Amino acid sequence: MTQMKPLNLRGFLIYKSFISAAHQAVILDDIRAGLPQAPMFSPVTAWGKPMSVQMSSAGKYGWYSDRRGYRYEPKHPNGNNWPAIPRSVLDVWNSVSETERQPDCCLINHYREKARMGLHQDNDEQDFAFPVVSISLGDDALFRIGGSDRKDKTESVWLSSGDVVVMGGEARLAYHGVDRIRLGTSNLLKNAGRINLTLRVVD
Ligand code: SIN
Ligand code: MN
């Protein structure tokens, strides 16, 4: 992993090209290895609207959403435990998180062509002193960054395969989202698209 001074965008620390192509491929294989146990599913929002991303998780908890709302669940909807967070992914957390504490959840978001993620805060966790670490794999994504109030001005930055974003400090409760994916900008995934991993300390 290439440790350079990150770009600081309103407290979002953006490490461009942090993960080597070889390590990205290892992470992808490790994440795929967990999918038979915890397959991707399409969550619905609390308002019953299907989300455009496909989701799964690894770790002690998986992030889950349905009409009962957003929460962490100790089991996949199929009743299985979530697979362990791969060592290859924990290595990234340990390089940038500046804490000894290990994450409880690795949320896996798969974006196909038209998928996006509306502006939101990550606030289902107990302790906001721990950062959220995001790993981008595959096609480029236009990542939107705001402030801690939904009405705050936003700005956007392209995230590419191997980029890592640390949302901590003032950025921990900042609104963020993904406006669109630029298809075919990476050849990491056999079928175009993007996988984003977010690592979180939950309880
Ligand atoms: C998320 O906020 O959960 C995902 C962010 C991303 O896909 O880059
Ligand atoms: Mn988020």
Side-chain angles (χ1 to χ4, degrees):
M1 277 164 271
T2 334
Q3 187 96 41
M4 284 187 310
K5 202 168 153 1
L7 200 71
N8 184 332
L9 221 57
R10 301 195 211 178
F12 287 75
L13 302 182
I14 302 174
Y15 295 84
K16 296 298 287 178
S17 306
F18 188 72
I19 307 173
S20 71
H23 195 69
Q24 291 172 46
V26 172
I27 290 175
L28 192 62
D29 277 353
D30 290 347
I31 289 296
R32 282 200 177 121
L35 294 179
Q37 179 179 337
M40 293 279 183
F41 56 91
S42 301
V44 292
T45 66
W47 301 273
K49 193 173 172 279
M51 294 179 69
S52 56
V53 294
Q54 293 242 300
M55 236 172 231
S56 188
S57 287
K60 181 178 172 195
Y61 298 110
W63 189 84
Y64 194 69
S65 171
D66 61 15
R67 281 173 179 279
R68 282 174 43 214
Y70 303 143
R71 59 192 183 273
Y72 285 96
E73 289 283 359
K75 290 193 189 291
H76 187 278
N78 69 9
N80 289 338
N81 290 325
W82 305 98
I85 303 177
R87 172 56 29 200
S88 57
V89 175
L90 293 175
D91 285 345
V92 177
W93 170 271
N94 289 322
S95 303
V96 296
S97 68
E98 296 187 338
T99 174
E100 297 289 302
R101 179 76 148 85
Q102 297 299 287
D104 301 310
C105 173
C106 172
L107 174 63
I108 306 161
N109 284 148
H110 185 202
Y111 297 76
R112 293 178 202 275
E113 182 172 6
K114 291 277 159 42
R116 53 187 298 281
M117 171 88 58
L119 212 61
H120 67 278
Q121 292 172 299
D122 290 359
N123 59 7
D124 302 313
E125 301 77 26
Q126 300 283 330
D127 188 345
F128 302 130
F130 296 108
V132 170
V133 172
S134 148
I135 298 173
S136 290
L137 299 170
D139 287 337
D140 293 352
L142 190 57
F143 186 60
R144 187 180 290 271
I145 287 171
S148 53
D149 191 307
R150 183 180 279 283
K151 294 190 291 288
D152 287 344
K153 197 169 68 63
T154 64
E155 58 191 296
S156 296
V157 61
W158 284 99
L159 295 181
S160 304
S161 201
D163 292 355
V164 172
V165 182
V166 180
M167 297 178 260
E170 56 167 324
R172 177 61 183 80
L173 287 173
Y175 278 85
H176 58 278
V178 172
D179 288 346
R180 62 190 175 91
I181 303 303
R182 200 154 56 185
L183 227 62
T185 41
S186 160
N187 49 27
L188 180 69
L189 306 184
K190 256 199 306 298
N191 302 313
R194 171 174 187 259
I195 288 180
N196 175 261
L197 308 176
T198 41
L199 295 160
R200 299 110 183 272
V201 171
V202 174
D203 59 9

